[in-house]
Amino acid sequence: MSEQLSLRAERLRAAGHKLTHARLSVLRVLEESGGHVTSAEVLERVSALDASIGRASVFRTLDLFTSLLIVRPTYIDSSVTPTYVLMPEGHHHHIICTNCNRVIEFEDCCLSEMTAELEARLGVKLTGHLVEFYGLCDRCRQ
Amino acid sequence: MSEQLSLRAERLRAAGHKLTHARLSVLRVLEESGGHVTSAEVLERVSALDASIGRASVFRTLDLFTSLLIVRPTYIDSSVTPTYVLMPEGHHHHIICTNCNRVIEFEDCCLSEMTAELEARLGVKLTGHLVEFYGLCDRCRQ
DNA sequence: AACTTAATTGATACTCTATCTCAATTAGAA
DNA sequence: TTCTAATTGAGATAGAGTATCAATTAAGTT
Ligand SMILES: [Zn+2]
Ligand SMILES: [Zn+2]
Ligand SMILES: [Zn+2]
Ligand SMILES: [Zn+2]
């Protein structure tokens, strides 16, 4: 396979998982869709890429990616289906407008001190985080 | 009704919603179950309290509480159903172990500065937040 | 390049959560 | 008490995600 492998694919392999066609397709879809996608959207786009990939594999892959923190499911717009958020370097931060469900991402991270403090105090090993703020976006604020 | 009303019930009323029997029952179940409950658990416990309350009302109430930030759905242990987390004063912080799905809560909040900064920079009005750390708990770290 | 094997896959039937509909009820104001 | 819009419960329906299992495949070994 001469295909260029993304960093995340390497992480998959490093964690002892096979780089299968189904998994690489899901990864590609996630990386090409900008960061916030529902499972229905992933299903649809994977199917468009290769209709022979089964739904079960897509869900299995999303579960696997979740456990590896490549992706994190979150509930935007309180629907049934989670929205999968890419976690670029293990962390992600956004604001969800409680009125229109718009998602505003931001990069600033002020949690490295707190990460170290929690690891020391609780004996845990932290590898990522998600910060969600809720409120009204500039438009909905009137 | 001579029943003592919780602070959250007052918030419900203040937001212009009726304090119905179904809503107060869901609220009671949430407050009595310590903070992390799935919709199935809420359904079951509400039903135990009063079997005449319909499933649809429970889901409608969970949606309403979500939009009011009384509760926030999150994705613990990759099951189908979200886990509803109580947001005591608009914010909540926890660590999810990616190995055993244990949830460790903590109170420390270092986000008030960032809240003010985001409001100023982006023109938003923030009313709450959820901080989720991922990693290995002390037991799973070996 | 062929061999080996455990991991992974896809089809499909199935489970079960959540939504929809609508007539009946109810909270809360007057 | 009367009034009315908000809310409810039942039951039917939709649709997301899972279980099963024989067939396939990634990737290490020879
Ligand atoms: Zn908005
Ligand atoms: Zn961060
Ligand atoms: Zn653990
Ligand atoms: Zn906080």
Side-chain angles (χ1 to χ4, degrees):
Chain A
M1 185 179 305
S2 59
E3 191 182 329
Q4 163 97 26
L5 289 184
S6 77
L7 271 172
R8 294 187 181 92
E10 292 295 357
R11 276 174 59 200
L12 252 187
R13 169 180 285 154
H17 302 280
K18 290 187 179 178
L19 299 187
T20 66
H21 179 58
R23 286 172 180 164
L24 292 174
S25 300
V26 172
L27 183 55
R28 180 172 154 194
V29 163
L30 287 170
E31 293 186 334
E32 285 177 356
S33 39
H36 294 83
V37 239
T38 62
S39 52
E41 287 166 342
V42 174
L43 274 172
E44 182 186 312
R45 292 178 200 179
V46 165
S47 220
L49 259 180
D50 182 343
S52 76
I53 296 173
R55 15 178 337 96
S57 289
V58 173
F59 283 108
R60 281 187 287 233
T61 301
L62 288 173
D63 278 352
L64 176 63
F65 286 6
T66 297
S67 74
L68 292 173
L69 291 190
I70 287 173
V71 108
R72 175 71 197 169
T74 184
Y75 286 90
I76 296 171
D77 104 67
S78 73
S79 68
V80 190
T81 45
T83 296
Y84 290 87
V85 175
L86 263 184
M87 305 265 288
E89 287 135 38
H91 60 169
H92 185 88
H93 323 90
H94 60 211
I95 299 168
I96 302 176
C97 177
T98 53
N99 186 56
C100 70
N101 293 319
R102 190 152 68 103
V103 177
I104 303 168
E105 302 184 40
F106 61 92
E107 296 302 319
D108 323 62
C109 180
C110 61
L111 295 184
S112 42
E113 277 177 39
M114 168 150 283
T115 301
E117 193 267 325
L118 286 170
E119 288 187 328
R121 176 153 58 92
L122 301 173
V124 298
K125 174 65 189 165
L126 302 178
T127 48
H129 61 250
L130 174 69
V131 176
E132 281 191 344
F133 282 94
Y134 314 111
L136 296 176
C137 69
D138 50 340
R139 294 178 207 155
C140 292
R141 204 182 169 177
Q142 286 160 359
Chain B
M1 183 178 306
S2 60
E3 190 182 330
Q4 163 100 26
L5 289 184
S6 78
L7 271 173
R8 293 187 181 91
E10 293 295 357
R11 274 174 60 200
L12 252 188
R13 169 180 285 156
H17 302 281
K18 290 186 178 178
L19 298 188
T20 66
H21 179 57
R23 286 174 180 163
L24 291 173
S25 300
V26 172
L27 183 54
R28 180 172 155 194
V29 162
L30 287 169
E31 293 186 335
E32 285 178 355
S33 39
H36 294 83
V37 239
T38 63
S39 52
E41 288 165 342
V42 174
L43 274 173
E44 182 187 311
R45 292 178 200 179
V46 166
S47 219
L49 258 179
D50 181 344
S52 77
I53 296 173
R55 10 177 350 92
S57 288
V58 173
F59 284 108
R60 282 187 286 234
T61 300
L62 287 173
D63 278 352
L64 175 63
F65 286 6
T66 297
S67 74
L68 293 172
L69 291 190
I70 287 174
V71 109
R72 176 71 198 166
T74 185
Y75 202 82
I76 295 169
D77 107 65
S78 74
S79 68
V80 189
T81 47
T83 296
Y84 290 88
V85 175
L86 262 184
M87 304 267 287
E89 287 136 37
H91 61 168
H92 185 87
H93 323 91
H94 60 211
I95 299 168
I96 301 176
C97 176
T98 53
N99 186 56
C100 70
N101 293 319
R102 190 152 68 103
V103 177
I104 304 168
E105 302 184 40
F106 61 91
E107 297 301 320
D108 323 62
C109 180
C110 61
L111 294 184
S112 41
E113 276 177 40
M114 168 150 284
T115 301
E117 194 267 324
L118 287 170
E119 288 187 328
R121 177 154 58 91
L122 301 173
V124 297
K125 175 65 188 165
L126 303 178
T127 48
H129 60 250
L130 174 68
V131 176
E132 282 191 343
F133 281 93
Y134 314 111
L136 296 176
C137 68
D138 51 340
R139 295 178 206 154
C140 293
R141 204 182 169 176
Q142 286 161 359

